[in-house]
Amino acid sequence: MPELQDQAKAAVEKLLQSQEDQLFAELGLRGKAIDADPAVAGQFDPDISYDAEFAGPMDALKEFGQRYFDKVNRQVYDLVCGATKESEEDRGKLRDAFGMDKTTFAAVLAGVLVSSFGWAPAIAAVVAALVVKLFFRPGYELACQMWKEKLPN
């Protein structure tokens, strides 16, 4: 896992500099790129850029990224803040990383999503960055409480 975390760290550090809308668009763009070339999925920081002819309108990418995030939001919340025995070890790693810094937490989360759930690194990095940007304020418990309030019904 430390190797995955190291690979993810540079990618999430760069992603955390983006605004939420940019991250949703990036998630949509990476989804399109993976459809076109599945090898893109295996990289935390794939070398892709927006091309309207290939990817379509930016608003559509953002909407796709938002919908995808909404779809996986509960699963990631359950991993980070839940109480299931199956995810207890991963949750412990995430709690430990939470006390460090946002980049480390996002890198550990991305690594866990890849190693324990089989997610594509290209997608896991963006989802981890979105989780940090949208929900994590001081205090692990408070972050989970705030996140739970924003989950779709």
Side-chain angles (χ1 to χ4, degrees), residues 24 27 61-73:
F24 287 126
L27 190 55
L61 283 178
K62 283 186 222 176
E63 184 179 338
F64 176 82
Q66 176 71 57
R67 284 184 182 175
Y68 183 85
F69 185 79
D70 289 346
K71 186 177 178 179
V72 300
N73 192 7

Side-chain angles (χ1 to χ4, degrees), residues 28-55:
L29 178 61
R30 288 182 182 204
K32 283 257 188 192
I34 290 168
D35 285 345
D37 179 9
V40 169
Q43 304 166 44
F44 282 102
D45 189 15
D47 187 20
I48 57 173
S49 58
Y50 175 70
D51 174 0
E53 189 174 315
F54 164 73

Side-chain angles (χ1 to χ4, degrees), residues 73-87:
N73 192 7
R74 170 69 68 184
Q75 181 182 7
V76 180
Y77 169 83
D78 288 343
L79 167 67
V80 176
C81 302
T84 61
K85 289 272 190 207
E86 300 86 40
S87 300

Side-chain angles (χ1 to χ4, degrees), residues 1 3-5 7-8 12 41-44 75-76 79 90 106-128:
M1 170 82 137
E3 183 178 317
L4 275 178
Q5 180 182 329
Q7 291 174 22
V12 297
Q43 304 166 44
F44 282 102
Q75 181 182 7
V76 180
L79 167 67
D90 290 330
V108 171
L109 178 56
V112 167
L113 292 172
V114 170
S115 66
S116 295
F117 292 91
W119 285 28
I123 299 299
V126 181
V127 169

